[in-house]
């Protein structure tokens, strides 16, 4: 009997996750035989649920809110990008039985910006709003694109300063509060706060976005997020949400597991068409 390779996404809440759908399309497109499910896993049950999944023959797991930091702790070994981001969204069973932790969120963002939306990162002045886990996961991959500089602005200023200090060896990066953004301009503003989920927006001064600047919200929803709307209202060349990043991080996980790169564009187009 041949057992089909099993994968899943764990998180809480998980009901509306698009990951099973995305991986199903990837599998069909590449002719890979696999199953990909979604499981509601509260933080307190995470270690037991992961152990049970792999003991039951599971090959790989995606972990989403609120489990990425726990997955980082769980992984026996970590890739460099996972180690730096202190969060893991992809767990993989290795041939020797160990569990490898990786983080494909940052590369997912960079791929979506550069390949899907033709946004130039090299030489760009970039502002990241927020200094939590979502920000930490994207800083190194963005800095690696020869950007001019990154400013992290956060409500709790010390967190922005501390986070920037961690990455100082990799490029020009500083931290500040929202009040310090007056009279400054950026080519790309990335919203990595959790405000979109509650329909709020950090206090942003006018003229923050440079001419032909781009806005990118890591969150996504069927309706434009409040930050996407802010970008449109501030004449952004493009004001994007994180749907493309979601598909690109999934493609990177699929590649880690299956060694084959699915085409992401048709999947993004399909999911975009469905929310219109
Ligand atoms: P995540 O893992 O999604 O990044 P997190 O680590 O809890 O979640 O971080 C949430 C981020 O959103 C933080 O930068 C937080 O600012 P503080 O560090 O000051 O808490 C930011 N955030 C949440 N609600 C906010 C609000 N109403 N206004 C501005 N920033 C907010």
């Amino acid at each position: 009997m041949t057992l089909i390779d099993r994968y899943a996404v764990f998180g809480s809440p998980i009901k509306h996750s698009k990951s099973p759908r995305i991986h199903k399309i990837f599998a069909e497109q590449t002719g890979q035989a696999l199953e990909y499910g979604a499981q509601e896993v509260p933080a307190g049950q995470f270690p037991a649920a992961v152990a049970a999944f792999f003991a039951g023959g599971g090959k790989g797991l995606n972990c989403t809110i609120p489990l990425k930091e726990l997955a980082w702790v769980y992984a026996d070994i970590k890739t460099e990008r996972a180690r730096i981001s202190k969060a893991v969204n992809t767990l993989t069973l290795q041939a020797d039985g160990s569990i490898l932790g990786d983080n494909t969120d940052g590369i997912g963002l960079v791929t979506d910006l550069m390949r899907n939306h033709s946004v130039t990162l090299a030489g760009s002045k970039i502002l990241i709003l927020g200094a939590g886990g979502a920000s930490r996961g994207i800083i190194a991959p963005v800095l690696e694109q020869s950007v001019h500089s990154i400013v992290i602005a956060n409500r709790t200023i010390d967190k922005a300063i501390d986070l920037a200090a961690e990455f100082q060896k990799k490029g020009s990066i500083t931290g500040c509060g929202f009040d310090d953004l007056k009279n400054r301009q950026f080519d790309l503003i990335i919203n990595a706060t959790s405000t979109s989920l509650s329909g709020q927006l950090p206090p942003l001064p006018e003229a923050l976005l440079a001419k032909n600047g781009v806005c990118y919200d890591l969150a996504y929803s069927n309706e434009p997020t409040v930050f996407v709307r802010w970008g449109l209202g501030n004449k952004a060349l493009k004001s994007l949400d994180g749907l493309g990043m979601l598909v690109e991080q999934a493609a990177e996980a699929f590649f880690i597991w299956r060694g084959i790169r699915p085409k992401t564009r048709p999947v993004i187009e399909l999911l975009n068409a469905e929310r219109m």
Side-chain angles (χ1 to χ4, degrees), residues 41 51 53 60 91 108 125 129 132 171-172 174 192 199-200 205 213 216 222 235 238 260 265 272 276:
V41 177
F53 177 79
L91 292 172
K125 293 182 179 168
L129 306 171
S172 168
T174 50
Q200 293 170 302
Y216 196 105
N222 281 343
K235 301 198 178 70
K238 297 177 184 205
I260 182 165
R265 198 169 285 264
N272 261 328
M276 278 173 192

Side-chain angles (χ1 to χ4, degrees), residues 46 67-76 78 86-88:
F46 180 73
L67 307 173
K68 291 183 190 181
E69 285 80 11
L70 291 171
W72 190 85
V73 173
Y74 190 96
D76 300 312
K78 290 179 261 285
K86 292 192 178 156
V88 156

Side-chain angles (χ1 to χ4, degrees), residues 69 130-135 154-156 159 178 192-195 200 202:
E69 285 80 11
S135 306
N154 197 45
R155 181 174 58 183
T156 314
K159 274 173 71 180
F178 294 120
T193 68
S194 49
T195 55
Q200 293 170 302

Side-chain angles (χ1 to χ4, degrees), residues 39-51:
Q39 196 174 319
E40 174 80 26
V41 177
Q45 292 168 22
F46 180 73
V50 178

Side-chain angles (χ1 to χ4, degrees), residues 5-273:
D5 287 347
R6 281 177 49 232
Y7 300 86
V9 59
F10 283 5
S12 184
I14 204 65
K15 208 165 138 209
H16 298 292
S17 171
K18 295 185 193 294
S19 293
R21 180 105 190 281
I22 294 169
H23 281 276
K24 185 164 184 275
I25 302 172
F26 286 167
E28 285 165 3
Q29 191 199 90
T30 56
Q32 297 279 302
L34 60 89
E35 255 174 31
Y36 188 107
Q39 196 174 319
E40 174 80 26
V41 177
Q45 292 168 22
F46 180 73
V50 178
F53 177 79
F54 284 116
K59 300 283 186 204
L61 270 183
N62 284 135
C63 301
T64 187
I65 292 169
L67 307 173
K68 291 183 190 181
E69 285 80 11
L70 291 171
W72 190 85
V73 173
Y74 190 96
D76 300 312
I77 25 172
K78 290 179 261 285
T79 61
E80 167 79 0
R81 60 190 180 189
R83 200 180 51 70
I84 293 171
S85 62
K86 292 192 178 156
V88 156
N89 74 340
T90 306
L91 292 172
T92 306
L93 179 67
Q94 306 280 95
D96 65 0
S98 64
I99 304 294
L100 175 70
D102 202 346
N103 190 327
T104 66
D105 284 334
I107 188 71
L109 169 70
V110 168
T111 304
D112 192 40
L113 279 168
M114 291 176 61
R115 207 178 55 203
N116 299 338
H117 297 290
S118 308
V119 174
T120 306
L121 294 180
S124 287
K125 293 182 179 168
I126 298 175
L127 171 64
I128 298 178
L129 306 171
S135 306
R136 180 186 289 282
I138 60 167
I139 291 171
V142 171
L143 268 181
E144 279 162 18
Q145 300 307 317
S146 309
V147 300
H148 174 277
S149 55
I150 294 182
V151 172
I152 306 170
N154 197 45
R155 181 174 58 183
T156 314
I157 301 176
D158 283 353
K159 274 173 71 180
I161 292 171
D162 291 350
L163 188 57
E166 276 188 51
F167 290 90
Q168 235 134 34
K169 286 202 186 102
K170 289 185 176 287
S172 168
I173 180 163
T174 50
C176 67
F178 294 120
D179 282 348
D180 304 311
L181 295 175
K182 282 183 198 117
N183 303 318
R184 302 187 73 169
Q185 277 204 324
F186 299 90
D187 305 304
L188 170 64
I189 307 178
I190 299 170
N191 181 25
T193 68
S194 49
T195 55
S196 280
L197 304 171
S198 54
Q200 293 170 302
L201 194 66
L204 301 176
E206 277 176 35
L208 187 63
L209 190 64
K211 192 164 186 280
N212 291 327
V214 172
C215 288
Y216 196 105
D217 198 336
L218 299 190
Y220 63 88
S221 92
N222 281 343
E223 303 297 322
T225 67
V226 62
F227 180 69
V228 166
R229 292 203 304 272
W230 182 89
L232 294 171
N234 282 271
K235 301 198 178 70
L237 180 66
K238 297 177 184 205
S239 196
L240 310 161
D241 77 4
L243 186 75
M245 174 180 171
L246 174 78
V247 176
E248 294 297 345
Q249 65 76 30
E252 194 69 24
F254 192 91
F255 176 70
I256 292 166
W257 293 332
R258 311 301 299 186
I260 182 165
R261 286 196 183 277
K263 288 194 187 72
T264 51
R265 198 169 285 264
V267 184
I268 294 171
E269 281 170 6
L270 178 75
L271 295 178
N272 261 328

